[in-house]
């Protein structure tokens, strides 16, 4: 794992000092009897006093190194795949923060977690850290309860595994569906401002404007 403050894309700081930092962690994704080595992006959004963690993957210690002495106001899970939630329990135990998951992803969460998440995400819900609001967008397809977080004040959307540089997230495994993820991307993400930076669950950031012209290509290729 590599704790780092480098987001990999230009992201502004809010007037109140809220910024985005990235922690890259390594581990194993497991589903349908298979396992794959993966690197995950963990996003820490906050100012000098408090922060919110998006997708606590693999290594709570690496995440806490970037969090530092700040209060963690929440741990948001964009979906319930084990590689996005397997450090949640340790992070919650260390910080006392509430973990959040869309209820439709409990079927995936329960495959790797013993305790229930602390709160349920709902479409349109607003989570606040410092002077920045993050709006929950329910974007099923990669997983039934997959969600993105849109922070207009920062000009970013945290896309989890819904949208990547080069196309949608994978839909070839249980509880996923390609037409559904295409509908989510078309109706929930591609109508965001084109300059919006897409901070993904794996790999490099992109922008809405860079991805939007390729929608029909993705539909034609089927993934």
């Amino acid at each position: 794992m590599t704790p780092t403050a480098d987001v990999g894309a230009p992201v502004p700081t809010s007037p109140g000092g809220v910024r985005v930092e990235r922690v890259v962690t390594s581990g194993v994704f497991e589903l349908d009897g298979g396992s794959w080595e993966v690197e995950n992006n963990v996003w820490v959004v906050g100012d000098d006093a408090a922060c919110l963690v998006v997708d606590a993957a693999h290594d709570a210690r690496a995440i806490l190194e970037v969090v530092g002495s700040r209060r963690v106001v929440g741990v948001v899970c964009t979906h319930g795949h084990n590689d996005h939630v397997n450090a949640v329990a340790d992070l919650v135990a260390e910080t006392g923060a509430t973990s959040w998951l869309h209820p439709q992803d409990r079927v995936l969460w329960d495959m790797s977690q013993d305790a229930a998440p602390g709160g349920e995400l709902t479409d349109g819900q607003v989570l606040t850290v410092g002077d920045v609001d993050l709006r929950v967008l329910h974007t099923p397809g990669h997983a039934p309860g997959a969600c993105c977080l849109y922070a207009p004040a920062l000009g970013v959307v945290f896309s989890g595994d819904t949208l990547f540089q080069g196309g949608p997230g994978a839909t070839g495994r249980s509880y996923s569906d390609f037409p559904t993820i295409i509908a989510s991307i078309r109706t929930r993400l591609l109508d965001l401002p084109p300059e919006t930076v897409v901070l993904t669950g794996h790999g490099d950031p992109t922008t809405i404007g860079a991805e939007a012209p390729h929608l029909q290509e993705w539909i034609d290729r089927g993934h």
Side-chain angles (χ1 to χ4, degrees), residues 18-172:
V18 171
R19 59 194 180 273
V20 178
E21 296 160 284
R22 175 168 63 176
V23 187
V24 180
T25 61
S26 301
V28 178
F29 166 52
E30 299 178 319
L31 189 64
D32 296 337
S35 62
W36 300 266
E37 295 285 340
V38 290
E39 285 193 340
N40 287 60
N41 293 326
V42 181
W43 300 104
V44 180
V45 189
D47 55 20
D48 290 339
C51 63
L52 181 146
V53 175
V54 181
D55 285 344
H58 305 305
D59 190 338
R61 185 171 300 177
I63 300 167
L64 289 166
E65 188 174 324
V66 171
V67 167
S69 62
R70 292 179 288 180
R71 178 173 62 92
V72 179
V73 300
V75 181
V76 177
C77 308
T78 61
H79 60 293
H81 285 152
N82 76 291
D83 62 315
H84 287 256
V85 304
N86 54 12
V88 170
D90 288 344
L91 197 61
V92 166
E94 286 287 338
T95 65
T98 297
S99 59
W100 295 87
L101 179 81
H102 193 282
Q104 290 185 24
D105 253 29
R106 277 298 300 272
V107 63
L108 294 167
W109 169 280
D110 289 343
M111 291 179 183
S112 65
Q113 301 301 298
D114 294 327
E120 294 187 349
L121 294 175
T122 59
D123 187 55
Q125 178 181 358
V126 175
L127 302 170
T128 302
V129 57
D131 63 344
V132 168
D133 291 337
L134 299 99
R135 178 160 53 91
V136 177
L137 307 175
H138 182 211
T139 53
H142 179 70
C147 291
C148 299
L149 295 176
Y150 176 46
L154 295 174
V156 305
V157 61
F158 299 91
S159 65
D161 285 3
T162 295
L163 179 63
F164 291 101
Q165 184 181 92
T171 53

Side-chain angles (χ1 to χ4, degrees), residues 136-212:
V136 177
L137 307 175
H138 182 211
T139 53
H142 179 70
C147 291
C148 299
L149 295 176
Y150 176 46
L154 295 174
V156 305
V157 61
F158 299 91
S159 65
D161 285 3
T162 295
L163 179 63
F164 291 101
Q165 184 181 92
T171 53
R173 302 188 181 100
S174 296
Y175 307 104
S176 65
D177 182 74
F178 181 69
T180 301
I181 201 171
I182 287 294
S184 292
I185 291 170
R186 177 192 285 120
T187 63
R188 308 310 308 275
L189 298 182
L190 297 189
D191 61 351
L192 298 177
E195 65 273 16
T196 302
V197 177
V198 181
L199 299 178
T200 57
H202 308 270
D204 295 329
T206 183
T207 65
I208 293 296
E211 303 306 320

